[in-house]
């Protein structure tokens, strides 16, 4: 059981997620392409069902949000030509559909803790799992003790349960490994929302997630000196439907900077 800001929350992957990670490992051994150095490390963690950090859960949720569109490509589903596609292989590394459902629920639970609310403990709500006998593939010969990611590389510390000294491996990667620039497409996504009551919703309205623009990648800075919240906290900022100024559907009551997650959140 992990502890996040003083609150206990289970961040242990489900067996359904582990089965997908083992599927990724098997595909890679067979020579299939898909997934970065980070994906390989993540799959090892999931296959071993290691308790994850809150930061990794946030990254998982972000990955699935960005790559949801990959499910529409040829070769993503069994029976289609080109199966498994690169997108399907990478999807498995992060836990597949089971991981997407789990990460979304855990991300919302972490949001509630950020607001000082215990919220609903999601550990008892697990997605339906496909019970697959993976045989020898279920056994992982190494156990990840730690993962440190920087702008240029990922460093993974492996160890075993016995007294064997840990092994540290560092793999360098470029920006396009992290962001999959070659597969970037323009897309929209629904905001992460939590219903406060029958008339109010709390949502994330911006983050530091890179976005492809005409001039390159744009990243919005989320710190105190970069944001003026006076208008959004005036009590009269309008909530628009689809950015249409003729469709005012509510009012923005409160906006605050979540410095821990580098996100801007509003109660509307």
């Amino acid at each position: 059981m992990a502890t996040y800001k003083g609150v206990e929350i289970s961040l242990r992957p489900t067996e359904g997620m582990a089965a997908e990670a083992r599927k990724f490992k098997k595909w890679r051994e067979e020579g299939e392409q898909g997934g970065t150095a980070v994906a390989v490390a993540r799959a090892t963690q999931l296959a071993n069902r290691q308790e994850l950090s809150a930061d990794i859960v946030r990254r998982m949720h972000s990955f699935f949000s960005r790559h949801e569109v990959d499910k529409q490509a040829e070769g993503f589903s069994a029976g289609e030509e080109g199966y498994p596609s690169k997108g399907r292989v990478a999807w498995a590394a992060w836990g597949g559909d089971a991981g997407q459902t789990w990460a979304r629920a855990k991300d919302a639970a972490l949001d509630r803790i950020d607001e000082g609310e215990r919220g609903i403990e999601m550990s008892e709500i697990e997605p339906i799992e496909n019970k697959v006998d993976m045989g020898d593939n279920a056994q992982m010969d190494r156990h990840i003790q730690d993962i440190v990611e920087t702008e240029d590389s990922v460093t993974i510390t492996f160890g075993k349960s016995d007294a064997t000294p840990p092994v540290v491996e560092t793999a360098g990667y470029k920006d396009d490994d992290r962001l999959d620039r070659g597969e970037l497409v323009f897309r929209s996504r629904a905001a992460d929302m939590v219903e406060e009551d029958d008339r109010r919703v709390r949502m994330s309205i911006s983050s530091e997630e890179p976005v492809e623009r005409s001039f390159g990648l744009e990243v919005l800075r989320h710190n105190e000196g970069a944001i003026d919240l006076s208008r959004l906290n005036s009590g009269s900022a309008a909530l628009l439907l689809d950015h249409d100024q003729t469709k005012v559907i509510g009012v923005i009551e409160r906006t605050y900077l979540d410095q821990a997650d580098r996100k801007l959140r509003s109660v509307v």
Side-chain angles (χ1 to χ4, degrees):
M1 185 76 69
T3 300
Y4 179 70
K5 296 185 178 180
V7 179
E8 286 193 346
I9 178 172
S10 175
L11 299 180
R12 185 170 183 254
T14 67
E15 179 53 38
M17 296 163 65
E20 279 287 312
R22 292 192 292 266
K23 185 181 295 183
F24 166 81
K25 183 174 182 290
K26 182 174 182 291
W27 277 334
R28 289 290 293 258
E29 290 174 349
E30 293 172 350
E32 298 292 347
Q33 299 297 309
T36 65
V38 176
V40 174
R42 196 72 68 239
T44 303
Q45 287 181 306
L46 299 185
N48 286 324
R49 297 190 67 187
Q50 291 180 231
E51 192 84 15
L52 305 179
S53 68
D55 184 52
I56 287 177
V57 171
R58 300 287 200 190
R59 294 179 192 177
M60 289 180 65
H61 180 56
S62 177
F63 169 86
F64 286 119
S65 298
R66 294 198 313 273
H67 291 273
E68 177 82 31
V69 70
D70 292 348
K71 302 177 77 172
Q72 301 172 18
E74 184 76 12
F76 191 92
S77 300
E80 294 180 342
E81 184 176 353
Y83 178 84
S85 64
K86 289 183 179 180
R88 178 63 181 93
V89 174
W91 193 262
W94 293 77
D97 288 348
Q100 182 184 34
T101 301
W102 181 88
R104 182 188 300 119
K106 296 300 182 180
D107 184 74
L110 293 171
D111 280 347
R112 288 193 290 272
I113 296 174
D114 285 336
E115 288 247 335
E117 306 169 8
R118 287 195 71 90
I120 301 173
E121 174 52 55
M122 304 301 294
S123 60
E124 299 178 0
I125 306 177
E126 295 192 353
I128 297 175
E129 302 172 357
N130 295 320
K131 300 299 182 181
V132 181
D133 182 10
M134 301 300 292
D136 293 338
N137 289 326
Q139 301 300 318
M140 307 295 290
D141 58 352
R142 297 194 294 181
H143 179 82
I144 289 182
Q145 292 183 344
D146 188 34
I147 294 180
V148 178
E149 296 177 42
T150 69
E151 293 298 323
D152 303 311
S153 66
V154 54
T155 299
I156 308 167
T157 302
F158 296 96
K160 296 182 178 180
S161 57
D162 56 22
T164 303
V167 177
V168 179
E169 297 181 5
T170 299
Y173 54 81
K174 304 174 184 177
D175 285 344
D176 54 358
D177 289 328
R178 292 179 66 89
L179 304 173
D180 295 322
R181 274 186 187 145
E183 301 176 6
L184 275 178
V185 296
F186 292 98
R187 68 195 69 165
S188 62
R189 59 162 295 188
D192 303 327
M193 297 187 294
V194 178
E195 188 172 345
E196 297 282 327
D197 54 37
D198 61 344
R199 304 291 292 179
R200 289 177 176 80
V201 172
R202 173 168 49 86
M203 63 177 68
S204 169
I205 63 172
S206 68
S207 72
E208 293 189 346
E209 188 67 32
V211 175
E212 187 76 30
R213 300 290 294 275
S214 60
F215 50 81
L217 289 176
E218 177 186 63
V219 178
L220 301 179
R221 287 188 298 158
H222 282 62
N223 53 54
E224 293 287 354
I227 305 172
D228 181 359
L229 297 178
S230 56
R231 171 62 177 166
L232 291 176
N233 283 321
S234 67
S236 59
L239 177 66
L240 307 179
L241 177 63
D242 299 329
H243 301 277
D244 189 337
Q245 296 186 24
T246 67
K247 298 178 180 178
V248 180
I249 59 174
V251 65
I252 300 173
E253 290 190 336
R254 180 169 65 92
T255 300
Y256 64 97
L257 176 63
D258 184 342
Q259 295 196 54
D261 288 333
R262 314 294 286 185
K263 289 183 178 181
L264 207 58
R265 303 184 189 277
S266 289
V267 175
V268 304

